[in-house]
């Protein structure tokens, strides 16, 4: 029997218990042994919970119990999750987590501790919720040189943007819905300001490169400035607006960023709506491949955590190879990367726009202003030209 302790009995943690109970037989067969929850760690009271006998408040009881083989860390945050995970790994207990904040901050250190102690630190649920993406990168795409990873990596913001696009709904109202559905982070800024997607693209970029991409160095812009008016222009252009997280190999090095982009109907990520996430990978032998599914929510995320528990159970005493060295990657400057931009400016700026950007088609959807699309240029060049546009309303990057 493989004994598991769940740290944090919230949305994901309670989902892990539910998945293990509901699919007990399938999971046992696939793991090669029965998987049993021995403890659930949480500080709250759960008087009516069917698993109340397993709930404990003292982490020492679990860390000092030699019968516990695997910890499932679904508490979130950096501390005490980091200390608890480190101590568990140091005592040879494998750790499976959905905590992308911790993985992005300390992933390579925890992987090294796991290796030194012949156990595993697995984090499938940390990116894309229930979508298998860490395992494909770590196992299936090992023959590839990966040139670019572009993802819709945050369920909350994709849910918000989809509702704004399709129903013309207001930002605050849809954010509340996403929170009620258990998709959102405790601090909504983590989702809407792009910080969560930033952690996730840092993890994917690190696995793509094999070295550490520091999330602090990734240019990050959220969706708080996107309005219903922007979607009117997007519709006119046959496009939608998505929060994309991207990492790309260029001749200047790797460029990584998170920002809202207009994407075309023909783009594989266009039809990824609601809480769904997808990761579009361009690699040199396979070509394009895409990984799609529910990016947040209790059971999809818990399913990914439990798949890691099964992997740990299959590898007791052995460490699964994961190439993510502690050495930091020096990212190329985003300002040097090139793309087209959609721009909105006040009525009366037509001549200035022509002087700066050449002859453009002017799009008219809203009174008192117009929109246009630039040619491809570097971010630096666009910023320089945009400074000369005194009544610039907004600009949105365009994904090729
Ligand atoms: P929740 O807030 O629902 O659950 C976390 C639980 O852990 C809460 O019950 C919390 O208790 C408990 N907890 C926090 N600190 C401690 C502690 N020191 N000791 C014991 N228990 C503690 O969060 P989620 O389940 O939504 O998220 C968990 C992690 O999974 C986060 O890292 C999140 O980013 C990630 N994630 C979430 C997804 C989702 O769809 N919700 C999807 C993918 C990843 P209390 O409430 O009292 O603080
Ligand atoms: N808040 C996150 C999201 C949870 O909305 O995608 C999944 O990581």
């Amino acid at each position: 029997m493989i004994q598991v302790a769940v740290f944090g009995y919230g949305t994901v943690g309670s989902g892990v218990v539910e998945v293990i109970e509901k699919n007990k037989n399938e999971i046992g067969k696939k793991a090669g042994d029965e998987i049993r929850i021995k403890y659930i760690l949480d500080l709250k009271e759960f008087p009516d919970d069917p698993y109340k006998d397993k709930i404990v408040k003292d982490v020492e009881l679990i860390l000092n119990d030699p019968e516990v083989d695997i910890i499932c860390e679904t508490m979130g945050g950096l501390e005490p999750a980091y200390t608890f995970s480190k101590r568990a790994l140091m005592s040879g207990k494998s750790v499976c987590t959905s905590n992308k904040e911790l993985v992005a901050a300390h992933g390579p250190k925890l992987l090294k501790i796991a290796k030194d102690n012949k156990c595993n630190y697995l984090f499938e649920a940390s990116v894309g919720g229930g979508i298998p993406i860490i395992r494909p990168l770590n196992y299936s795409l090992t023959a590839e040189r990966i040139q670019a990873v572009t993802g819709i990596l945050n369920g909350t913001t994709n849910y918000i943007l989809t509702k704004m696009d399709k129903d013309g709904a207001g930002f605050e109202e849809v954010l509340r819905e996403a929170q009620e559905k258990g998709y959102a982070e405790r601090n909504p800024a983590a989702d809407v300001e792009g910080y969560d997607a930033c952690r996730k693209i840092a993890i994917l970029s690190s696995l793509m490169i094999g070295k550490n991409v520091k999330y602090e160095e990734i240019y990050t812009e959220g969706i708080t400035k996107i309005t219903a008016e922007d979607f009117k222009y997007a519709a006119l252009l046959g496009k939608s607006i998505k929060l994309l997280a991207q990492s790309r190999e260029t001749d200047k090095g790797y460029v990584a960023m998170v920002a809202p982009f207009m994407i075309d109907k023909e783009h594989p990520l266009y039809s990824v709506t609601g809480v769904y996430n997808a990761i579009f990978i361009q690699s040199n032998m396979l070509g394009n491949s895409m990984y799609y599914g529910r990016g947040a929510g209790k059971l999809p995320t818990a399913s990914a955590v439990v798949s890691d528990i099964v992997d740990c159970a299959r590898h007791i005493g052995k460490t699964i190879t994961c190439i993510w060295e502690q050495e930091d990657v020096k990212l190329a400057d985003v300002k040097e990367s090139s793309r087209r931009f959609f721009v909105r400016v006040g009525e009366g700026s037509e001549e200035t726009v022509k002087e700066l950007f050449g002859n453009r088609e002017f799009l008219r959807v809203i009174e008192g202003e117009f929109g246009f699309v630039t040619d491809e240029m570097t971010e630096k060049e666009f910023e320089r030209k945009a400074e000369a546009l005194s009544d610039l309303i907004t600009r949105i990057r365009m994904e090729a």
Side-chain angles (χ1 to χ4, degrees):
M1 189 197 300
I2 305 285
Q3 310 240 48
V4 175
V6 175
F7 284 8
Y9 199 37
T11 306
V12 183
S14 63
V16 167
V17 175
E18 190 174 330
V19 170
I20 291 179
E21 283 306 314
K22 272 208 178 128
N23 287 351
K24 198 187 301 181
N25 294 337
E26 290 84 350
I27 291 167
K29 252 186 245 158
K30 286 167 193 163
D33 206 342
E34 185 192 341
I35 304 285
R36 183 172 166 260
I37 305 278
K38 183 161 187 186
Y39 301 105
I40 298 167
L41 177 80
D42 205 289
L43 303 177
K44 293 192 292 287
E45 301 296 332
F46 298 85
D48 304 320
D49 194 273
Y51 305 101
K52 63 173 183 289
D53 295 346
K54 296 181 190 284
I55 300 174
V56 298
K57 290 191 169 62
D58 182 7
V59 72
E60 299 303 329
L61 189 67
I62 303 172
L63 294 175
N64 296 322
D65 184 342
E67 284 185 2
V68 174
D69 304 292
I70 302 167
I71 304 293
C72 155
E73 188 273 292
T74 50
M75 290 163 43
L78 290 183
E79 283 296 354
Y82 179 49
T83 304
F84 291 178
S85 301
K86 202 160 56 170
R87 287 188 53 204
L89 294 169
M90 286 166 88
S91 62
K93 300 182 195 309
S94 288
V95 176
C96 308
T97 188
S98 56
N99 185 345
K100 54 270 161 140
E101 193 184 350
L102 180 59
V103 177
H106 297 299
K109 272 181 260 169
L110 292 168
L111 282 166
K112 171 81 169 51
I113 298 171
K115 193 173 173 198
D116 291 345
N117 291 280
K118 296 190 170 49
C119 55
N120 284 289
Y121 184 64
L122 301 186
F123 45 92
E124 182 60 73
S126 67
V127 181
I131 308 173
I133 181 60
I134 304 298
R135 215 165 270 112
L137 280 172
N138 212 19
Y139 282 82
S140 321
L141 298 176
T142 44
E144 296 292 317
R145 180 177 181 96
I146 296 175
Q147 292 144 332
V149 174
T150 307
I152 293 177
L153 297 182
N154 184 269
T156 303
T157 47
N158 205 45
Y159 186 82
I160 295 172
L161 291 175
T162 304
K163 289 263 180 174
M164 286 172 80
D165 190 5
K166 309 283 180 229
D167 310 342
F171 188 95
E172 295 297 333
E173 168 204 344
V174 195
L175 173 61
R176 255 195 315 280
E177 266 181 50
Q179 285 167 328
E180 279 158 21
K181 287 176 187 283
Y183 305 154
E185 297 300 312
R186 283 189 169 213
N187 171 8
D191 293 305
V192 299
E193 297 294 356
Y195 310 146
D196 176 73
C198 165
R199 267 52 171 193
K200 290 167 175 169
I201 195 65
I203 296 169
L204 295 184
S205 309
S206 300
L207 294 176
M208 163 184 172
I209 302 167
K211 294 183 182 156
N212 191 44
V213 172
K214 290 173 85 172
Y215 70 85
E216 300 94 322
E217 291 182 7
I218 296 178
Y219 174 83
T220 300
E221 204 179 292
I223 63 160
T224 48
K225 295 195 185 100
I226 300 296
T227 63
E229 286 74 27
D230 296 327
F231 279 104
K232 288 188 183 158
Y233 284 101
L236 192 70
L237 290 163
K239 297 180 193 296
S240 188
I241 303 167
K242 305 279 187 193
L243 183 69
L244 297 187
Q246 190 169 66
S247 194
R248 183 178 288 283
E249 188 179 18
T250 72
D251 52 5
K252 296 187 179 71
Y254 288 94
V255 176
M257 72 190 299
V258 175
F261 279 79
M262 273 200 190
I263 65 170
D264 198 72
K265 276 198 171 88
E266 304 303 316
H267 194 288
L269 293 171
Y270 176 87
S271 45
V272 179
T273 55
V275 72
Y276 282 85
N277 282 190
I279 300 101
F280 178 59
I281 295 188
Q282 292 158 281
S283 60
N284 68 343
M285 296 292 137
L286 170 63
N288 297 344
S289 55
M290 193 155 105
Y291 308 82
Y292 170 83
R294 283 181 187 268
K298 177 174 166 168
L299 294 178
T301 311
S303 168
V305 178
V306 176
S307 77
D308 280 347
I309 294 177
V310 170
D311 227 0
C312 289
R314 288 173 173 177
H315 293 90
I316 297 280
K318 280 180 260 163
T319 305
I320 299 164
T321 304
C322 176
I323 314 287
W324 181 351
E325 291 167 14
Q326 294 190 52
E327 185 191 334
D328 293 331
V329 175
K330 177 91 192 92
L331 292 175
D333 188 352
V334 166
K335 287 200 162 76
E336 299 296 337
S337 63
S338 298
R339 55 188 48 85
R340 293 181 303 145
F341 296 82
F342 163 74
V343 188
R344 280 171 61 196
V345 281
E347 199 74 69
S349 308
E350 288 84 345
E351 283 312 309
T352 321
V353 168
K354 269 188 211 163
E355 276 164 32
L356 291 165
F357 297 96
N359 269 335
R360 302 287 97 195
E361 184 188 348
F362 294 151
L363 309 164
R364 297 189 190 271
V365 184
I366 294 155
E367 211 173 306
E369 62 168 86
F370 66 96
F372 67 95
V373 176
T374 71
D375 284 331
E376 188 172 309
M377 61 186 68
T378 62
E379 294 261 340
K380 197 162 67 182
E381 191 182 351
F382 175 77
E383 271 178 24
R384 191 172 49 75
K385 289 179 192 255
E387 269 171 30
L389 276 177
S390 57
D391 52 358
L392 181 130
I393 298 167
T394 194
R395 60 96 181 90
I396 301 174
R397 297 173 175 85
M398 314 264 300
E399 171 65 352

